[in-house]
Amino acid sequence: MPGQERPAARGRVADSAVPSGRPAGPAEPAAGAGGAPGTTSHPPSRSLAARTNHPAVAALIATLAATAFTLARWQTWADGRISRFILVGRHFATPSQLPHGMPVAKTYGYDGQFFYRLALNPLNFHHTAYGITVDRPYRFMRIGYPVLTWVLSLGQHYLVPVILVVINIAAIGALGYLGAMFALRGGRHALAGLLIPGYFGLLTSLSRDTAEPLAAACLLAGLLAVRSRRPVLAAVLLTCGALTRETVMVAVAAIAILRVIGIVRGRVTGVRPGREDLAWVIPAVAFAAWQVVVKAATGSIPLLADSGRNAGAPFIAPLNAFRHNLGHVHLHQFEQYDLWFLELAILVCFSVAAVSLKKKTTAPVQERLAFVLYLVEICVVTPSTWNSLDADMRSFIEVYLLAVIILLGTPRRTLGAWLLPSLAALTIPALIVVTQRRLTIS
């Protein structure tokens, strides 16, 4: 009825693997004085906070920041040669067989050289091709980033170095948008979601053409699709993420665990197998199928062939890395070991905050479980991951992302007005130092 005030809808987050509920829409404008027909009112001028409270604004800010950083690195460290981002190393390269004009670094190179090699022809499984030798079989299972690059470059080799960078810039912009969506669903300002693309490890991924930005974007978009009860879309996104970076399967496993438990208890809860299971079944089947394809082509199942290199006894690697690096800290000069401890402190602060608020957040159960599983994962990875001083903990990005999602979903009265700003301020020194390093050294 005219003039009757309706209660505002409030979104609910169910405790199932595929929660129901939709976020509350924007508040309706107030009626004219007294709600009487024929009266008019002038809408109040929108503040800056209101104008920027939109996911597109967060996406634009993240994209512009990534673009500015890329242009600065391109013109400084890379000397105007975008192909230097790939970091092809002489240990894995045969210069005479490389595509024309590809620079070779006087080092082992970096992971980007293998993504570049696969992007030239994603179905070439030879040990050596295009002048680059693949070091380990697991490179072939991270096919999503190379395939997308190959498609967008139309198979033109000279475009591949540019497209690799463009995809990562776009992915970071997408993370800004997705972060804003999580923030709005948690009842916060959209720009709070910029914490998502604010992870320092993304700068290293952008600098060296690695797959973390794309995999993270697929992961978060898939989780949002699960929240919105769009299992087909979630399945597509999580499949793309898993084929880009295998760690996305940890989140898929969290969804699967909760769905299976719900189905087993179906007599009580009423949960039955259905379309919702597509969100984890399709990624799992696609991931397993690609393992079989790589096995047929190379003779090794990539996930198993390198398990000894990628996993070890729980907590041994992080404890050894902590002990070793502590002995090299410089109290009078900020160097790589000091940066490692700063990055570790940031990751620990976000993780501790998320763990302490895990039962109070409105984030769905599968996201909270995924966070715990990602914590377990980083505690069993090998020393080569923990000891890397030049990777800026890019391999631990999922722990950071899920921690931020939990914090964004925690009610303001529980979280307090100081925690998120304090955590955000803590990341700024690391971002500044990493930016400076990436503009001056490899």
Side-chain angles (χ1 to χ4, degrees):
M1 295 178 63
Q4 182 177 357
E5 184 178 354
R6 296 180 295 175
R10 297 183 62 184
R12 295 182 298 108
V13 179
D15 282 346
S16 64
V18 185
S20 62
R22 303 177 65 180
E28 297 183 2
T39 61
T40 60
S41 62
H42 298 286
S45 59
R46 299 183 66 193
S47 65
L48 179 61
R51 290 178 183 274
T52 56
N53 193 25
H54 194 282
V57 178
L60 179 62
I61 293 172
T63 303
L64 290 177
T67 302
F69 171 81
T70 300
L71 293 175
R73 180 170 166 85
W74 176 42
Q75 290 300 316
T76 54
W77 178 85
D79 293 326
R81 303 177 67 184
I82 200 69
S83 55
R84 289 195 67 190
F85 280 49
I86 299 168
L87 273 179
V88 176
R90 61 183 178 182
H91 184 79
F92 297 105
T94 304
S96 61
Q97 298 177 11
L98 288 170
H100 178 71
M102 178 57 58
V104 178
K106 296 179 180 180
T107 64
Y108 267 54
Y110 206 69
D111 292 355
Q113 63 190 329
F114 305 114
F115 288 114
Y116 168 72
R117 145 72 199 276
L118 291 174
L120 297 175
N121 184 351
L123 295 180
N124 188 326
F125 293 101
H126 290 95
H127 187 55
T128 300
Y130 305 105
I132 299 176
T133 299
V134 174
D135 59 345
R136 299 170 188 171
Y138 77 82
R139 304 289 182 185
F140 292 108
M141 72 178 172
R142 298 176 178 178
I143 199 65
Y145 184 33
V147 165
L148 182 58
T149 302
W150 180 76
V151 170
L152 294 180
S153 65
L154 304 176
Q156 302 301 308
H157 291 183
Y158 72 94
L159 289 177
V160 169
V162 177
I163 299 300
L164 286 168
V165 175
V166 169
I167 288 174
N168 276 347
I169 292 175
I172 290 174
L175 288 174
Y177 187 94
L178 295 167
M181 291 293 292
F182 280 106
L184 290 172
R185 291 190 175 209
R188 300 186 176 279
H189 194 280
L191 295 189
L194 287 175
L195 273 172
I196 291 286
Y199 186 60
F200 38 80
L202 288 172
L203 290 173
T204 297
S205 298
L206 180 56
S207 299
R208 299 172 178 175
D209 293 347
T210 60
E212 286 81 14
L214 179 60
C218 291
L219 169 62
L220 297 193
L223 291 177
L224 278 176
V226 171
R227 283 192 184 194
S228 301
R229 286 187 171 272
R230 302 178 67 182
V232 175
L233 178 60
V236 172
L237 291 167
L238 293 174
T239 297
C240 292
L243 295 178
T244 299
R245 182 170 157 82
E246 68 279 2
T247 50
V248 172
M249 286 300 297
V250 173
V252 174
I255 297 171
I257 289 170
L258 292 176
R259 284 295 301 173
V260 170
I261 291 175
I263 292 170
V264 170
R265 298 176 177 175
R267 294 181 180 179
V268 177
T269 62
V271 177
R272 297 290 184 272
R275 292 181 72 252
E276 290 84 356
D277 293 295
L278 295 175
W280 67 269
V281 171
I282 291 179
V285 170
F287 185 77
W290 185 246
Q291 296 287 313
V292 173
V293 171
V294 176
K295 169 65 166 64
T298 66
S300 301
I301 298 178
L303 191 63
L304 300 179
D306 292 289
S307 59
R309 295 176 180 267
N310 295 327
F315 301 106
I316 298 301
L319 290 176
N320 286 342
F322 186 92
R323 182 179 56 187
H324 175 269
N325 294 345
L326 186 61
H328 293 79
V329 169
H330 293 272
L331 299 179
H332 304 291
Q333 186 176 358
F334 196 89
E335 296 185 351
Q336 280 186 311
Y337 291 99
D338 307 271
L339 177 59
W340 186 89
F341 275 102
L342 174 60
E343 293 169 345
L344 178 63
I346 293 171
L347 197 63
V348 168
C349 287
F350 273 90
S351 298
V352 169
V355 167
S356 64
L357 296 168
K358 190 165 62 70
K359 294 183 178 180
K360 300 177 181 179
T361 183
T362 60
V365 179
Q366 74 270 5
E367 294 172 12
R368 287 177 266 166
L369 177 58
F371 169 65
V372 173
L373 295 179
Y374 278 121
L375 280 176
V376 173
E377 180 217 356
I378 70 170
C379 289
V380 300
V381 294
T382 54
S384 61
T385 303
W386 275 99
N387 289 342
S388 177
L389 297 176
D390 206 31
D392 297 309
M393 299 190 178
R394 62 183 178 87
S395 297
F396 303 155
I397 184 173
E398 293 93 356
V399 170
Y400 174 86
L401 295 177
L402 270 297
V404 172
I405 288 173
I406 288 172
L407 295 174
L408 290 176
T410 304
R412 291 176 181 271
R413 63 181 179 275
T414 302
L415 191 63
W418 59 272
L419 184 57
L420 272 183
S422 299
L423 290 172
L426 185 62
T427 66
I428 293 176
L431 289 170
I432 292 173
V433 175
V434 173
T435 298
Q436 182 181 21
R437 294 178 65 83
R438 295 295 158 253
L439 297 182
T440 56
I441 61 176
S442 63

